[in-house]
Structure formats: C-alpha cells, structure tokens
Amino acid sequence: MLQYLKKREVSNNCEKEKRTCQEITLHKIPGFFREQELHGAKGHDKVFAAAWLDNVNVLLGTKNNKLLLLDSLTDRSCEISLPCRSQPRISREESCGIHSIAMNISKRFIASGADDPNDVAVFRLPAFTPIQLLKKHNDWIFAATWLTDSVLVTGSRDSTVKLWSVKAGLPFTNEHPLADCRVHTDKVRDLKYCMNSERLATLSQDGTCKIWDPHSMEVVTSVSLHYKRELVCLAMEYPIIAVGSQKYISFIDMRCGHVSRHVESLDDGWGVRSLSLRGLTITCGGGKGRLSFLDLRTGNYIVLSPAKNANTGILDSAKDRFYFETGKGFFL
C-alpha cells in the first residue's frame, strides 16, 4: 500500500502496485463480513438467482417463478410482473423457476426468466419496463449472459446455446436468434463471458465445458471434466474457469484447455451451487447454505474467524471457521 501511494505521487504508471493492493483487499474483506438473514422473500420457494441493482436493492428469481425486488435495508420486497406469451402454455410445469438474472454492461437492461420458463424477458431499468420477450428455446432457460449492451446469449435444458439481438424498437416478441447452436449433448446449465479474453464458456450436464469464440459462435476448445455429477455453475476470469459440481470446484486453464486442479467443497457433498471469481479470490455458495472464500494462490479456504483455546487463549487452527452459514440451505 505504501509503495502504491508513494509511486502514485510521482507517476501514473502504478497499475502493478494498484492491482496488488486490490488483491490483498479482496483477500482480507471476507473476514469483516457478518451474516444477516433477510426474510423479504418469505412465502416463496427457493431463490435460484440473484443480481444486485445497486448498493441496496437486489433482484431475486425464485423456484415458483417469481421475480422479486428486495430492499436489503428494510427487508421488504415487491414482485415484478413477468411478460406472458400471446398464447399461454397449456399447463404450468412444476419445479422450474427463474434460474438466471443478467444485467447488461451499461446497467440499462436486465434479462431474466419470463412467465413461461422457456422464454427470456428483457426489462429496461429502472422502471422494469418489458421491452422484449425472447421465444425460441424448447425447454427451461438455465443461463443468460450479455456479450455487449445489446447482445445476449442464453443456454437451455434443450441443449442449445442461442445468440440474441436486444434493441429498443424491435418487435416485442423475438423468435429469431442471431445464432442457434447445438454442440452439447445434454442440458446447458451455465454460461459465462470473459470480456478481457473475448471468450464464452458453456457448461453442460454432458460432462464438458466448451470455450467459444463469440464472434463466430464456434467452439475453439472442449474440456472433458473429471467430476460430472451436478454440474451447475461457472465462474470465469482469464485465464481461469472455475466449475462447480456436486463435491468439487474444478479449475480449467484457458491457455491450455485442461483441468489444472480440484478443490473439495466445504458443503459435505451437497453441491456447489454458485461461484464468483474476482482476482485471486473465488466465492463459493454451497447447497448446505454455506458461503466460503478460496485463495487461488494457496488453494486453501480463507480463515474467517481464527479459533482460540478457551483455557489457554492460544490459536487453535483445528477449530478455525472457514465459512458463513445462514438458513438450512438445500435441506429446505
């Protein structure tokens, strides 16, 4: 920190020191977190997806197909109306819900599941005005991510990946994706885009993670995974792709296209349900309701609360706390 401050006084060329400070900060921040369970979504089924709109408001997608706007300060929520097809589906399928919420780069548009789980609804912020309904998938939408402010990619249980143009002024119902790709042999569970490397990654229950060139929508690398049960989530920041499965976090090196290592989840085999990668720290949410932080340099989980022996006051590493825990997680 001192090196960064001193160098900043005399030069603008201090990106290396700034990046080092950011990495140290990211490593230390989890130790200052405190759990607080919010009940604004009470009465709804499991929350499958979430996205922060600002420092206070978070958007939630639930298993019973509700889109909720939650105020984290007041713990109150309101429901956002989802656009419907002109011809509603005959019967509502059970155990589906909204699995993905994605905000575009300029934070003007947000995409989520629609009233029909096979569709994607695009809203204009901050009023949540529906501007488009993307309708071409034949099964549930599991993932969506923005490539640019107006280009969206979606992945579905129908095993396809589709590319969409989303612009104001286009017809409300869009049934014509820019690209329609079927390279996986099973459902597509997640997808992520890395702007720095301009690469798209897709994760499928067929046991592969595929790396795409989004300009041509062609697969450049296909990686076979060792652990294939409950492949649910991805996190991506060049040159690393993190994959969550039932028991492990697997790491793919994009430069060579191979799995480099595995780290066991702290959730006792209840599944890695969400991953977020920033710098050298990966945040892992598990099916047992636990939130943990992994240091990629050491491959070890960050100690959130060092334990002391009650009698001697000496640190006892065997009882260190490595995760936050609220609620009952997947047991609900």
Side-chain angles (χ1 to χ4, degrees), residues 47-312:
V47 173
F48 279 155
W52 286 96
L53 299 185
D54 50 44
N55 293 334
V56 174
N57 297 294
V58 59
L59 201 60
L60 307 176
T62 69
K63 184 178 177 180
N64 58 335
N65 217 64
K66 300 297 181 182
L67 187 63
L68 306 176
L69 181 61
L70 175 68
D71 186 317
S72 63
L73 297 181
T74 63
D75 198 8
R76 294 178 180 176
S77 67
C78 63
E79 184 176 338
I80 306 298
S81 297
L82 298 173
C84 305
R85 294 186 178 192
S86 56
Q87 294 180 343
R89 60 187 186 277
I90 297 173
S91 62
R92 182 176 294 276
E93 298 182 77
E94 298 295 331
S95 302
C96 178
I98 296 173
H99 288 265
S100 181
I101 299 173
M103 186 186 297
N104 73 343
I105 300 166
S106 65
K107 298 184 178 181
R108 293 187 300 118
F109 297 153
I110 198 157
S112 80
D115 179 68
D116 189 305
N118 300 355
D119 302 337
V120 175
V122 181
F123 300 89
R124 180 187 288 114
L125 298 175
F128 286 96
T129 306
I131 62 167
Q132 265 198 354
L133 184 67
L134 310 180
K135 174 188 169 185
K136 191 64 175 179
H137 282 289
N138 298 319
D139 212 330
W140 302 345
I141 304 291
F142 277 141
T145 191
W146 294 87
L147 301 186
T148 69
D149 255 355
S150 59
V151 177
L152 182 74
V153 183
T154 56
S156 165
R157 201 169 73 159
D158 65 10
S159 306
T160 67
V161 175
K162 301 188 192 301
L163 185 72
W164 307 86
S165 175
V166 179
K167 294 180 180 178
L170 293 177
F172 179 74
T173 301
N174 184 350
E175 299 184 61
H176 303 285
L178 300 175
D180 190 339
C181 308
R182 187 185 294 273
V183 298
H184 288 289
T185 59
D186 205 339
K187 52 192 171 187
V188 178
R189 288 306 311 258
D190 201 3
L191 49 82
K192 291 291 187 294
Y193 175 63
C194 178
M195 189 175 296
N196 293 336
S197 62
E198 294 188 340
R199 285 292 183 261
L200 175 74
T202 58
L203 176 67
S204 171
Q205 205 62 53
D206 64 10
T208 65
C209 177
K210 297 186 185 294
I211 303 172
W212 304 61
D213 179 349
H215 300 287
S216 62
M217 285 305 288
E218 294 182 352
V219 175
V220 295
T221 307
S222 182
V223 182
S224 295
L225 301 166
H226 302 105
Y227 301 104
K228 302 180 180 182
R229 296 190 64 181
E230 290 291 321
L231 293 171
V232 173
C233 54
L234 280 177
M236 188 178 184
E237 186 172 298
Y238 187 81
I240 296 170
I241 299 175
V243 178
S245 60
Q246 184 185 49
K247 196 176 179 181
Y248 293 92
I249 305 171
S250 301
F251 294 94
I252 298 171
D253 190 327
M254 296 172 61
R255 294 165 296 189
C256 60
H258 296 292
V259 177
S260 57
R261 61 175 170 172
H262 310 278
V263 177
E264 191 167 346
S265 164
L266 297 180
D267 281 68
D268 302 330
W270 284 91
V272 178
R273 299 294 166 176
S274 64
L275 292 171
S276 175
L277 175 59
R278 186 172 180 183
L280 295 173
T281 303
I282 186 162
T283 305
C284 173
K288 214 170 181 179
R290 295 173 179 175
L291 182 68
S292 53
F293 304 88
L294 183 69
D295 187 335
L296 296 182
R297 292 169 295 186
T298 64
N300 296 322
Y301 287 95
I302 297 173
V303 177
L304 301 178
S305 180
K308 292 184 179 180
N309 187 295
N311 298 322
T312 64

